[in-house]
């Protein structure tokens, strides 16, 4: 059974007029005009104190309940890979598609156990006007951060993101006594591809292999472009045995690629070195052992995985 729901589209400009008190279609409860106005003013100030979407929506969910009782708030913006859920599931919902001059700002769903009446829906729609400006700024900020931490060619993490993630995951592994493994990998004979077909073809190979790596990893795994044709895969809470299985899966995924360059089918392969964090080991030592294992794999004939000693 589909839960009873209310669906609508909230446009930024209409919401702006409503926030300023000029919307003729406002359906706020006439018994509480001061409370609604006061809450709108308060939200207008509070929500602009952060650029983090999670904090903005959590605060919005908390404050809206002072006027309209809610059990849950769900927000998703697929383009930003963002889905947030606060509270607990309930049978009745009111959903809104948020937009600004045609710019999609995501989907917002209010949930609770009893049905929303028209007055409450009017109040929620009025309060949404206070959310759109801060939410749009938060999405722009999130996109800027993501861009700053991504390699523009392969859409994997860059060195800045890698350094931050490695230190964070090492600290977590030590604090919770969890295994942590890394895979250092290199595209075999990449220089010959550039020399034979040009750097444009080499860029396409990098993108193709990066996509294959990401498609073969779990959501919790992280892949970074280490430099040139080298990538690093960070495997949290992963033993050496499990990391070796992941590495072999990546090797096979690349080996099975059918890639054409200027009408010519070329064989692609990678070599990998695997290392697992040792007790009291430094991050520099972990990366050095993974790099040494990668060198062993390449020296042993390429298209293979080697484990660090």
């Amino acid at each position: 059974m589909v839960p009873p729901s209310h669906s609508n589209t909230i446009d930024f400009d209409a919401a702006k007029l409503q926030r300023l008190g000029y919307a003729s279609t406002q359906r706020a409860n006439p018994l509480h005009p001061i409370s609604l106005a006061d809450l709108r003013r308060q939200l207008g100030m509070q929500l602009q104190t952060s650029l983090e979407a999670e904090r903005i929506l959590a605060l919005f969910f908390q404050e809206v309940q002072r006027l309209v009782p809610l059990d849950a708030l769900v927000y998703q913006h697929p383009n930003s890979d963002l889905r947030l859920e606060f509270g607990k599931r309930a049978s009745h919902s009111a959903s809104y598609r948020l937009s600004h001059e045609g710019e999609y700002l995501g989907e917002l769903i209010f949930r609770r156990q009893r049905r929303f009446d028209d007055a409450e829906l009017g109040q929620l729609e009025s309060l949404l006007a206070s959310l759109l400006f801060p939410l749009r700024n938060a999405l722009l900020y999130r996109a800027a951060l993501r861009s700053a931490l991504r390699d523009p060619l392969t859409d994997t993490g860059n060195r800045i993101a890698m350094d931050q993630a490695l230190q964070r995951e090492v600290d977590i592994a030590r604090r919770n006594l969890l295994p942590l493994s890394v895979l250092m990998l290199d595209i075999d004979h990449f220089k010959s591809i550039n020399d034979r077909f040009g750097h444009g073809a080499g860029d396409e190979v990098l993108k193709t292999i990066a996509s294959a790596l990401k498609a073969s990893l779990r959501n919790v795994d992280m892949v970074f472009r280490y430099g040139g044709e080298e990538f690093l895969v960070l495997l949290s809470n992963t033993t050496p045995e499990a990391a070796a299985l992941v590495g072999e899966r990546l090797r096979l995924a690349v080996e099975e690629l059918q890639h054409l360059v200027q009408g010519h089918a070329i064989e692609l392969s990678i070599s990998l070195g695997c290392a697992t964090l040792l007790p009291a080991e430094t991050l520099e030592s972990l990366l050095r052992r993974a790099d040494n294992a990668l060198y062993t794999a390449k020296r042993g004939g390429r298209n293979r995985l080697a484990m660090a000693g």
Side-chain angles (χ1 to χ4, degrees):
M1 177 179 174
V2 178
S5 65
H6 170 84
S7 180
N8 208 337
T9 297
I10 293 294
D11 182 79
F12 183 86
D13 295 313
K16 178 171 64 175
L17 291 174
Q18 188 179 62
R19 183 166 65 90
L20 295 173
Y22 294 114
S24 60
T25 58
Q26 184 173 346
R27 296 183 294 170
N29 189 332
L31 297 179
H32 304 283
I34 297 178
S35 297
L36 176 60
D38 286 347
L39 185 53
R40 282 166 55 180
R41 281 193 293 269
Q42 182 173 322
L43 284 172
M45 294 184 291
Q46 289 182 329
L47 298 182
Q48 296 187 55
T49 61
S50 176
L51 285 172
E52 296 180 7
E54 295 87 343
R55 178 173 173 79
I56 289 170
L57 287 160
L59 180 59
F60 181 75
F61 175 55
Q62 171 187 306
E63 293 300 314
V64 164
Q65 294 182 75
R66 296 171 57 187
L67 189 63
V68 180
L70 299 171
D71 288 318
L73 181 146
V74 180
Y75 173 78
Q76 56 186 4
H77 190 272
N79 294 343
S80 300
D81 194 24
L82 184 61
R83 177 180 170 81
L84 301 169
E85 188 165 348
F86 307 92
K88 57 185 180 181
R89 293 190 175 273
S91 56
H92 294 275
S93 66
S95 61
Y96 295 90
R97 183 183 188 278
L98 310 179
S99 68
H100 164 224
E101 295 181 348
E103 178 186 359
Y104 177 62
L105 298 181
E107 305 283 337
L108 191 72
I109 305 173
F110 300 103
R111 294 187 182 277
R112 73 178 188 189
Q113 290 300 337
R114 62 183 177 86
R115 189 185 300 272
F116 295 94
D117 61 38
D118 286 345
E120 290 173 321
L121 292 173
Q123 291 171 324
L124 290 175
E125 291 162 14
S126 180
L127 294 172
L128 278 172
S130 302
L131 175 65
L132 292 178
F133 284 99
L135 180 59
R136 178 173 179 265
N137 289 338
L139 292 174
L140 290 172
Y141 178 67
R142 182 182 178 88
L145 282 182
R146 183 169 181 173
S147 176
L149 297 174
R150 307 297 288 180
D151 173 61
L153 177 64
T154 62
D155 195 35
T156 58
N158 61 18
R159 287 294 294 267
I160 297 174
M162 186 190 77
D163 291 342
Q164 293 177 356
L166 278 170
Q167 190 58 62
R168 181 183 67 248
E169 294 301 320
V170 166
D171 292 342
I172 291 174
R174 286 175 176 158
R175 184 166 59 248
N176 299 300
L177 301 178
L178 296 172
L180 175 70
S181 299
V182 296
L183 294 168
M184 190 84 75
L185 63 93
D186 183 272
I187 301 174
D188 295 330
H189 306 296
F190 183 73
K191 184 177 184 300
S192 66
I193 296 174
N194 277 336
D195 291 343
R196 182 180 176 188
F197 299 105
H199 289 279
D203 287 348
E204 290 303 314
V205 167
L206 284 168
K207 290 191 286 186
T208 297
I209 289 182
S211 295
L213 296 177
K214 290 184 287 185
S216 302
L217 292 169
R218 305 169 299 178
N219 289 337
V220 295
D221 301 327
M222 293 172 273
V223 57
F224 307 92
R225 187 177 179 189
Y226 191 72
E229 67 272 25
E230 288 187 325
F231 294 86
L232 182 135
V233 178
L234 178 55
L235 303 171
S236 303
N237 195 18
T238 305
T239 63
E241 296 78 14
L245 291 175
V246 174
E248 184 63 13
R249 185 167 72 242
L250 297 179
R251 188 189 68 80
L252 290 173
V254 172
E255 188 179 48
E256 293 170 358
L257 288 173
Q258 297 181 345
H259 189 73
L260 293 176
V261 176
Q262 299 173 11
H264 300 277
I266 61 173
E267 296 182 356
L268 298 176
S269 65
I270 56 174
S271 300
L272 306 98
C274 178
T276 300
L277 186 68
L278 300 173
E281 183 178 29
T282 65
L283 178 56
E284 290 74 17
S285 173
L286 173 67
L287 295 179
R288 183 169 58 251
R289 289 195 302 114
D291 193 51
N292 289 340
L294 171 60
Y295 178 73
T296 299
K298 294 169 69 173
R299 187 176 55 188
R302 295 185 172 84
N303 193 22
R304 64 191 63 205
L305 179 142
M307 302 295 293

